[in-house]
Amino acid sequence: GNSVTQMEGPVTLSEEAFLTINCTYTATGYPSLFWYVQYPGEGLQLLLKATKADDKGSNKGFEATYRKETTSFHLEKGSVQVSDSAVYFCALLPIQGAQKLVFGQGTRLTINP
Amino acid sequence: EADIYQTPRYLVIGTGKKITLECSQTMGHDKMYWYQQDPGMELHLIHYSYGVNSTEKGDLSSESTVSRIRTEHFPLTLESARPSHTSQYLCASSENREYETQYFGPGTRLLVL
């Protein structure tokens, strides 16, 4: 079946540190891949997405590259800010079936000044 | 910016009460979804709809029910609330096309005493 595995949290970094949150997936074919972010007290917001192999999604300084060889979609940012503190969800949308998002378990990120 | 709204944002209610959580979107999206988010952050799909008069149960069994009489409106009802229903409920919508992004509302945080 389809599944997403994310790096376990919580993750705590200092401001301006480099961020990587690992995400790997299992799916049939080539699903679309997403990173969503959830700020405290809010719903999920789309951060970035990629719909085919080798695509790179980017937004607000965050990047992730769709790697079919390693079935991965790791999230990276070169210099994090306190305002990046949130929960990050990796997700896939299968190409077959009911088109339902499959989420990872979420990674809580805290950035200290 | 997605236009999807949920009311109420917070609800504290006693056991046995009937409640309806409202979700509306102004984007004309055919697909709508309800997720339950437990305190450990994990998201579970409990209901979805492909359009008017279409409703399906999600991956997590839920005692709630939904209806889809209008495209823009997808309310969720609990006939008799219990403490085990305490959770955050997130509504989402998307266009009825392949690889389409889901847009989320701000969520309703429910506490059943």
Side-chain angles (χ1 to χ4, degrees):
Chain A
N2 301 309
S3 66
V4 175
T5 302
Q6 274 182 247
M7 177 171 152
E8 288 222 11
V11 174
T12 303
L13 296 172
S14 298
E15 206 165 21
E16 299 183 4
F18 184 87
L19 168 71
T20 300
I21 300 178
N22 290 338
C23 171
T24 57
Y25 68 90
T26 301
T28 304
Y30 301 110
S32 287
L33 300 173
F34 303 81
W35 277 101
Y36 282 86
V37 58
Q38 185 175 31
Y39 297 104
E42 298 184 12
L44 274 68
Q45 299 176 24
L46 177 68
L47 183 58
L48 52 85
K49 73 176 185 181
T51 58
K52 61 183 188 295
D54 300 324
D55 264 2
K56 178 187 282 189
S58 60
N59 186 26
K60 300 181 182 179
F62 290 90
E63 292 183 340
T65 301
Y66 189 141
R67 303 276 187 210
K68 71 177 171 75
E69 306 84 8
T70 53
T71 60
S72 64
F73 193 55
H74 304 321
L75 183 68
E76 296 181 336
K77 186 174 185 181
S79 176
V80 292
Q81 307 300 313
V82 172
S83 57
D84 294 327
S85 298
V87 179
Y88 292 81
F89 291 91
C90 186
L92 70 83
L93 188 64
I95 60 168
Q96 297 172 340
Q99 288 268 295
K100 296 181 286 182
L101 272 175
V102 178
F103 285 95
Q105 72 271 35
T107 302
R108 186 178 300 278
L109 174 67
T110 301
I111 307 299
N112 294 321
Chain B
E1 191 73 23
D3 296 318
I4 180 162
Y5 309 98
Q6 290 186 244
T7 57
R9 291 292 311 275
Y10 305 93
L11 180 61
V12 181
I13 202 161
T15 296
K17 300 292 187 184
K18 177 179 178 178
I19 59 169
T20 296
L21 308 184
E22 302 287 350
C23 176
S24 295
Q25 49 94 6
T26 58
M27 297 170 283
H29 287 169
D30 286 326
K31 292 182 179 177
M32 295 189 75
Y33 312 82
W34 276 104
Y35 293 86
Q36 185 173 337
Q37 185 173 28
D38 62 28
M41 305 181 303
E42 199 163 345
L43 288 148
H44 304 283
L45 180 68
I46 52 174
H47 298 284
Y48 60 101
S49 167
Y50 286 146
V52 171
N53 294 326
S54 150
T55 61
E56 303 285 345
K57 290 195 177 295
D59 303 319
L60 180 70
S61 175
S62 173
E63 293 165 351
S64 58
T65 58
V66 292
S67 62
R68 190 88 183 276
I69 299 170
R70 304 198 314 267
T71 297
E72 63 272 21
H73 195 213
F74 191 42
L76 180 145
T77 298
L78 276 165
E79 290 293 333
S80 179
R82 293 209 299 270
S84 59
H85 297 137
T86 294
S87 190
Q88 169 146 266
Y89 293 84
L90 295 169
C91 181
S93 72
S94 67
E95 292 189 39
N96 192 16
R97 293 188 308 192
E98 207 173 46
Y99 304 137
E100 271 308 308
T101 300
Q102 287 187 21
Y103 295 94
F104 284 78
T108 294
R109 195 172 293 277
L110 173 66
L111 173 61
V112 183
L113 302 174

